[in-house]
Amino acid sequence: MGPLVAEVRGATAMSQLLDEVLASRQEELFIGFTFPSLDGEWVALVDDCRLAVDDEVQRDVTGLHWTGDLTSQLYEEARRSGRGVIFLHAHAGSHEPPRLSPTDERTAQEILPHLGMLLPDALHAYVVVNRAYVAGWVQHGDRTIEVDRIRIATSPLRIWTSGPESATNQVVLGRDQRQATALGGQVICRLRASTVVILGVGGAGSQVAEMLAHAGVGRLVLVDADLVEEVNLSRTHGTSPASIGSKKVDVAMSMIRHISPETEVSTVAEAFPSEDSLQALREADAVVACVDGVHPRNELNRFALRYAIPLIDLGTTITPAPFRVDGHLSLVMPGSHCLRCAGHVSDALLAEISEVNRRGEYGLGEGRPQVVSFNGLLASAAVTEVLQLICGFAFREQGSCEWHYDPVAGELRRIDLPSGRCRECVWYGMKGDRE
């Protein structure tokens, strides 16, 4: 096990306030409340944030100061809601990590241990950012470690690191030249530094894995408990008759390594939501879900909401008589709509499946019709959304959205989701490990 990593994670609200902090001609104090994730990495999820008003702070040549009354108010709110507190401000620059002033160090050394003692179950942070990097500390109980990154789950993702990317990630290989020409050399660095989890590597998931390997994603995590069967050969990329009986994740890993030896591949040959699969998802930049069933989608939707993870969900339903095809691709962004908002999860659907299982009709969903090319168009669209998330090639920010594919009508159309957010968004959004 490597060194403990500490991350601050947020969504659109945090992104907008950080822009204000960075654009201001004077030092601004960003205040946030956090829910913790402590399984593996420390992740402080910022679910509520604001800028301090002028009568709460003082500015002089030594830096930014605030009153003891403000600290007491923040402590009371954190205690009442069971959350931690984050303090953030900006220093100039973008070519190297910011240097913390003596005032910063003194303030952090006074506040963080005190908060850790009073609210030991939460994560607290004191960080300084510039336009590219972050420095500071995260506190849990009596332990303090340096912050490694800030990750804002917008589209595109915004990431501040504690230092430059490794030289390996910055190399543009010959295989990447045309992609770098189209999207920019910096994109290759972002792709090499990214982690994408693919949940389900059958018909659609195997094609997603193949394309992401060609694109040069740095780390792919494959999650699937199934073995290759003969029926899978007609639509699962990377398989052959010799693959029958092998784990799907092993076949997909072999395919990826043949395409992109530089890509790190790890596998979880377990059904979601196992402990190992949850750990893999928690640390992902994005998750592509190619799973069947309402119950897995429900669990995945809640998990992505809890830990502010962008989720791309795809699936195809074919009705043989009369012949109809409905393929969907849902992009779920933290702070925006979720799969329940889009209608892919509902109490009625969950109750229907529970009743089917109660009657012992467990095989009802097996043997569903599938066609490789129908999966392929959705898989390609899903990979494009991953590239947009990581690289930002479309130069636009967006919330959750959905596309539907009908090969019978020859249509791929975008669907506007209803306004407002559902109860799941509110109950689970940015809550981390909190029950």
Side-chain angles (χ1 to χ4, degrees):
M1 181 178 292
L4 184 61
V5 173
E7 174 182 310
V8 174
R9 190 178 298 175
T12 302
M14 185 174 181
S15 178
Q16 293 170 347
L17 287 182
L18 276 177
D19 284 338
E20 291 187 41
V21 169
L22 291 166
S24 179
R25 294 185 178 181
Q26 62 182 8
E27 278 195 285
E28 304 286 354
L29 177 62
F30 170 104
I31 301 166
F33 293 98
T34 72
F35 285 110
S37 171
L38 299 169
D39 189 358
E41 297 182 353
W42 287 3
V43 180
L45 292 137
V46 181
D47 84 313
D48 183 18
C49 51
R50 68 176 179 88
L51 298 186
V53 297
D54 285 343
D55 61 1
E56 292 176 324
V57 296
Q58 296 177 352
R59 301 173 180 90
D60 59 30
V61 293
T62 65
L64 189 66
H65 313 270
W66 56 91
T67 64
D69 286 344
L70 176 59
T71 302
S72 297
Q73 291 170 16
L74 297 176
Y75 161 71
E76 286 299 328
E77 172 58 23
R79 182 189 61 79
R80 183 192 64 78
S81 59
R83 295 179 292 180
V85 184
I86 176 174
F87 302 91
L88 177 151
H89 65 279
H91 288 178
S94 62
H95 299 297
E96 61 182 11
R99 295 173 181 266
L100 276 70
S101 70
T103 300
D104 289 326
E105 294 185 355
R106 186 166 54 251
T107 304
Q109 289 167 5
E110 291 175 357
I111 289 180
L112 290 182
H114 188 62
L115 287 171
M117 178 184 66
L118 295 174
L119 302 167
D121 296 328
L123 287 175
H124 314 280
Y126 186 102
V127 296
V128 178
V129 299
N130 57 26
R131 294 198 174 274
Y133 299 106
V134 60
W137 299 275
V138 177
Q139 183 88 24
H140 179 238
D142 60 359
R143 186 174 182 185
T144 309
I145 64 174
E146 293 185 359
V147 65
D148 289 276
R149 61 178 172 260
I150 295 175
R151 176 164 48 181
I152 307 295
T154 53
S155 180
L157 294 171
R158 303 181 67 184
I159 297 176
W160 286 256
T161 59
S162 58
E165 293 291 345
S166 70
T168 302
N169 287 341
Q170 298 182 41
V171 173
V172 177
L173 304 173
R175 50 167 287 159
D176 298 322
Q177 287 294 340
R178 294 197 177 188
Q179 185 166 259
T181 300
L183 302 178
Q186 185 63 27
V187 165
I188 305 303
C189 176
R190 293 176 188 167
L191 284 171
R192 294 284 182 220
S194 65
T195 297
V196 178
V197 173
I198 305 172
L199 190 57
V201 287
S206 63
Q207 296 185 60
V208 170
E210 182 179 32
M211 284 185 273
L212 289 177
H214 280 295
V217 169
R219 181 168 181 253
L220 289 172
V221 183
L222 314 175
V223 182
D224 199 315
D226 292 343
L227 305 179
V228 176
E229 300 177 9
E230 185 177 13
V231 71
N232 303 132
L233 302 184
S234 66
R235 66 186 187 279
T236 305
H237 283 217
T239 61
S240 69
S243 306
I244 295 174
S246 300
K247 295 177 182 178
K248 285 184 178 179
V249 290
D250 290 343
V251 174
M253 179 170 61
S254 177
M255 174 182 67
I256 293 167
R257 286 177 172 170
H258 277 95
I259 295 168
S260 177
E262 300 80 19
T263 297
E264 178 187 345
V265 189
S266 57
T267 64
V268 180
E270 301 171 4
F272 179 82
S274 68
E275 183 177 343
D276 287 346
S277 66
L278 292 175
Q279 183 60 48
L281 266 64
R282 190 179 279 108
E283 299 172 7
D285 292 304
V287 174
V288 182
C290 310
V291 296
D292 297 325
V294 179
H295 281 287
R297 277 201 173 95
N298 185 51
E299 292 299 319
L300 181 59
N301 185 56
R302 291 177 173 180
F303 191 86
L305 289 170
R306 277 188 176 279
Y307 296 100
I309 303 166
L311 169 64
I312 299 167
D313 177 74
L314 58 151
T316 305
T317 301
I318 301 175
T319 305
F323 188 71
R324 293 174 181 164
V325 181
D326 180 25
H328 81 268
L329 171 68
S330 301
L331 171 65
V332 176
M333 295 301 301
S336 186
H337 298 83
C338 73
L339 291 180
R340 183 177 280 265
C341 298
H344 298 299
V345 175
S346 69
D347 292 342
L349 288 171
L350 290 167
E352 180 182 345
I353 296 300
S354 295
E355 176 61 20
V356 167
N357 291 340
R358 187 188 68 79
R359 294 198 304 262
E361 300 171 6
Y362 300 108
L364 199 64
E366 296 178 3
R368 296 184 308 113
Q370 292 291 328
V371 177
V372 63
S373 62
F374 299 170
N375 290 330
L377 188 143
L378 291 171
S380 179
V383 170
T384 299
E385 288 306 309
V386 172
L387 295 180
Q388 160 62 11
L389 272 169
I390 295 171
C391 308
F393 65 82
F395 303 104
R396 57 177 166 82
E397 289 193 17
Q398 67 177 13
S400 301
C401 52
E402 180 160 305
W403 295 263
H404 280 255
Y405 173 50
D406 181 355
V408 177
E411 294 179 345
L412 177 65
R413 63 191 186 280
R414 176 169 169 156
I415 303 295
D416 290 329
L417 297 175
S419 60
R421 299 169 65 206
C422 74
R423 71 185 191 200
E424 302 278 290
C425 298
V426 176
W427 287 354
Y428 295 100
M430 311 288 285
K431 293 300 189 295
D433 297 340
R434 180 172 178 176
E435 295 297 329

